């Protein structure tokens, strides 16, 4: 029986492991945390007399998530309409800028992307179409909050027409918490998953891959490396052989940084989505399981410069103050705020990735390519759903399929 190690039990690693077990492999999943799911992490907060689910990591299930929907169906999980649109956020500190004006400007920018070179940043394209003033700043804020990097760092292609589109479309969450999906996938994998097993090295020797975890070495026939991009590029925490071509492609990936803040509300609000243009954060209230709006204010801040200005390295206080000023329409309680700072999580080292200007089709191929007996998966690899849960799942399936195909060629 082929022995395969999977490094990381996020959605990418779990998808790969599921597929490999299905193909008859003897799979061991190494996960450093004491839970599966990685950047999918649901917990509860007490608000208005009850417990409500919060998503400390990935939240929205968006259009085109066919793989995630397939997994949910398989595990009997229900998607709940959030009742608000992830795509449309009222600029609360720029009341004279309408969401329609932002959408119109976004459309002009998307048209300009379609006709020009692929090596431009979002900022380049906005310069080209010649817009200035508050509407531009609101649009920039909207994009920086989606990509979690500055508009001059991210490729215009794939950004303006995908994650950061600006028209009202529905968005969903997994009823009872997104965490239910990795938990369900893990329950099928059972003993194959080893929690609290941090990998220190993955090294190829001849026909073997030697994995070092907790100081112990173990040999496998293959390994799927499904670790976060931020962990993979940090040579001090992980010894792993990555070929030059892949490293070059990785240099055109940009690491986004984001944090979330959850505040309990004393009253049930209406569904809403309001952003702070200056603060580069947005806030929303949304439906929970059962279709009623939950009394929880969810906040997301993106881009490291703004996050540090909000003081996320010192706790929730600074950011909470700005949120209270922005959302004076809500009855925000005084129970403890829950802050989740992904840039400082050593097992994530950031939130999710985006493509830098100049990222090419060849780069995408290099990222996805196997290196000897090492296969790679993770949100940063999928070219279409980069940075998203759907991309993580797709990358896991693709890596496993490539491994299974290579193995059957060797056997033939
Ligand atoms: C704040 C935030 C908001 C987001 N919002 C959305 C959203 O609304 N919609 C959406 O689709 N996506 C969203 N995402 C992105 C989504 O969470 C990710 O794209 C996806 O979960 C990544 O899955 P992954 O398997 O590639 O990585 P991960 O989930 O990070 O899995 C990698 C695993 O590797 C483990 N690991 C790390 N180092 C080691 C080691 N040395 N040894 C062993 N294990 C290790 C980690 O603990 C982790 O479990 C958001 C992410 C964040 C942080």
């Amino acid at each position: 029986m082929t022995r395969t190690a999977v490094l990381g039990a996020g959605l990418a690693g779990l998808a790969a492991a599921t597929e490999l077990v299905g193909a008859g492999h003897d799979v061991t999943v190494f996960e450093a945390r004491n839970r599966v799911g990685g950047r999918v992490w649901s917990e509860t907060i007490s608000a208005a007399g009850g417990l409500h689910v919060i998503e400390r990591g990935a939240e929205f299930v968006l259009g085109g998530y066919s793989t995630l929907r397939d997994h949910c169906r398989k595990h009997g999980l229900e998607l709940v309409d959030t009742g608000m649109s992830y795509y449309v956020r009222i600029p609360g500190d720029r009341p004279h800028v309408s969401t329609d004006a932002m959408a119109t400007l976004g459309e002009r920018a998307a048209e300009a992307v379609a006709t020009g070179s692929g090596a431009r940043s979002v900022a380049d394209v906005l310069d080209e179409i010649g817009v200035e003033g508050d509407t531009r700043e609101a649009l920039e804020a909207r994009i920086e909050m989606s990509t979690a990097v500055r508009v001059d760092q991210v490729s215009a292609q794939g950004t303006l027409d995908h994650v950061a589109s600006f028209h009202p479309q529905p968005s969903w969450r997994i009823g009872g918490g997104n965490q239910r999906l990795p938990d369900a996938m893990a329950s099928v994998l059972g003993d194959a998953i080893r929690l609290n097993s941090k990998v220190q090295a993955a090294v190829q020797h001849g026909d073997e891959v030697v994995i070092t975890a907790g100081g112990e070495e173990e040999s496998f026939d293959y390994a799927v490396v499904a670790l976060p991009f931020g962990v993979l590029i940090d040579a001090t925490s992980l010894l792993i052989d990555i070929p030059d071509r892949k490293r070059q492609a990785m240099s055109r990936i940009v690491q986004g940084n984001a944090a979330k803040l959850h505040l309990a509300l004393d009253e049930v609000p209406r569904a809403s989505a309001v952003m702070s243009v200056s603060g580069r954060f947005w806030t929303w209230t949304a439906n929970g399981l059962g279709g009623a709006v939950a009394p929880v204010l969810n906040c997301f801040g993106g881009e490291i410069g703004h996050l540090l200005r909000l003081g996320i390295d010192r706790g929730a206080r600074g950011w909470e103050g700005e949120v209270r000023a922005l959302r004076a329409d809500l009855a925000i309680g005084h129970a403890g705020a829950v802050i989740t700072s992904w840039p400082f999580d050593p097992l994530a080292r950031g939130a999710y990735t985006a493509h830098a200007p100049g990222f090419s089709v060849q780069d995408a191929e290099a990222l996805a390519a196997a290196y000897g007996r090492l296969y790679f998966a993770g949100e940063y690899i999928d070219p279409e759903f980069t940075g998203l849960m759907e991309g993580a799942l797709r990358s896991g399936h693709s890596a496993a399929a490539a491994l299974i195909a290579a193995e059957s060629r060797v056997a033939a």
Side-chain angles (χ1 to χ4, degrees):
M1 204 184 219
T2 307
R3 292 194 71 217
T4 304
V6 174
L7 278 47
L11 290 181
L14 292 170
T18 303
E19 182 118 3
L20 290 164
V21 166
H25 284 221
D26 176 8
V27 173
T28 302
V29 183
F30 292 87
E31 169 53 54
R33 298 181 200 267
N34 61 4
R35 62 170 180 88
V36 298
R39 284 169 275 171
V40 174
W41 182 20
S42 315
E43 286 206 333
T44 53
I45 190 171
S46 170
L51 281 181
H52 302 272
V53 174
I54 54 172
E55 301 295 349
R56 302 188 70 169
E59 183 132 4
F60 296 99
V61 173
L62 304 173
Y65 280 30
S66 53
T67 316
L68 186 140
R69 282 176 179 271
D70 283 349
H71 278 281
C72 285
R73 222 170 283 126
K74 184 172 152 200
H75 294 291
L77 299 173
E78 185 192 339
L79 290 181
V80 173
D81 191 329
T82 57
M84 38 77 75
S85 178
Y86 164 88
Y87 300 93
V88 179
R89 305 164 195 177
I90 294 167
D93 58 343
R94 299 288 191 283
H96 50 283
V97 175
S98 70
T99 52
D100 283 350
M102 286 169 62
T104 305
L105 184 54
E107 263 166 36
R108 277 179 59 204
E111 278 162 23
V113 175
T115 54
S117 127
R120 293 167 300 165
S121 69
V122 169
D124 290 336
V125 170
L126 294 179
D127 286 345
E128 261 173 47
I129 61 175
V131 280
E132 292 301 336
D134 280 353
T135 308
R136 172 168 176 163
E137 210 207 332
L139 188 68
E140 286 190 351
R142 169 68 183 77
I143 294 166
E144 290 184 348
M145 278 180 264
S146 293
T147 58
V149 295
R150 291 196 320 265
V151 282
D152 60 319
Q153 295 175 305
V154 67
S155 168
Q157 212 155 37
T159 300
L160 285 160
D161 52 351
H162 192 48
V163 182
S165 71
F166 316 100
H167 289 289
Q169 297 165 55
S171 45
W172 300 266
R173 304 193 277 205
I174 297 174
N178 292 341
Q179 179 83 48
R180 292 184 68 192
L181 177 56
D183 285 351
M185 294 169 84
S187 72
V188 176
L189 292 166
D191 292 347
I193 299 180
R194 288 190 203 162
L195 297 177
N196 303 307
S197 292
K198 184 172 180 186
V199 173
Q200 282 98 36
V203 179
Q204 302 191 58
H205 288 302
D207 286 350
E208 288 180 348
V209 183
V210 179
I211 304 295
T212 309
E216 302 275 308
E217 288 189 353
E218 209 171 330
S219 293
F220 293 86
D221 298 307
Y222 297 95
V224 177
V225 180
L227 300 173
F229 179 77
V231 170
L232 206 52
I233 59 167
D234 175 23
T236 58
S237 73
L238 184 73
L239 175 65
I240 187 164
D241 211 9
I242 297 177
D244 285 348
R245 181 64 194 95
K246 203 184 271 291
R247 286 213 183 270
Q248 282 162 17
M250 287 169 121
S251 72
R252 284 181 282 279
I253 293 279
V254 51
Q255 176 69 62
N257 283 291
K260 287 180 94 167
L261 178 69
H262 290 94
L263 296 165
L265 300 178
D266 289 338
E267 290 167 11
V268 174
R270 284 209 290 240
S272 64
V274 178
M275 68 176 181
S276 163
V277 173
S278 305
R280 296 297 197 266
F281 65 85
W282 71 292
T283 63
W284 66 97
T285 48
N287 292 346
L289 191 65
V293 179
V296 177
L297 183 59
N298 311 276
C299 316
F300 174 104
E303 201 281 304
I304 192 68
H306 284 87
L307 292 173
L308 294 175
R309 195 196 58 74
L310 289 168
I312 64 147
D313 47 337
R314 299 186 299 279
R317 245 181 127 82
W319 190 3
E320 185 180 341
E322 293 203 20
V323 169
R324 283 180 184 276
L326 182 75
R327 297 304 308 263
D329 58 313
L330 296 175
I332 301 176
H334 289 278
V338 179
I339 187 163
T340 314
S341 299
W342 291 96
F344 307 122
D345 180 330
L347 298 175
R349 294 184 180 276
Y352 44 77
T353 63
H355 295 158
F359 184 87
S360 65
V361 174
Q362 292 74 24
D363 288 331
E365 286 166 4
L367 289 178
Y371 178 50
R373 289 174 172 264
L374 295 181
Y375 288 74
F376 293 82
E379 52 79 10
Y380 70 96
I381 291 180
D382 186 77
E384 193 184 353
F385 289 90
T386 318
L388 299 167
M389 292 186 280
E390 176 70 13
L393 288 167
R394 288 188 184 200
S395 74
H397 285 295
S398 301
L403 199 168
I404 293 162
E407 193 197 13
S408 60
R409 279 198 299 275
V410 172

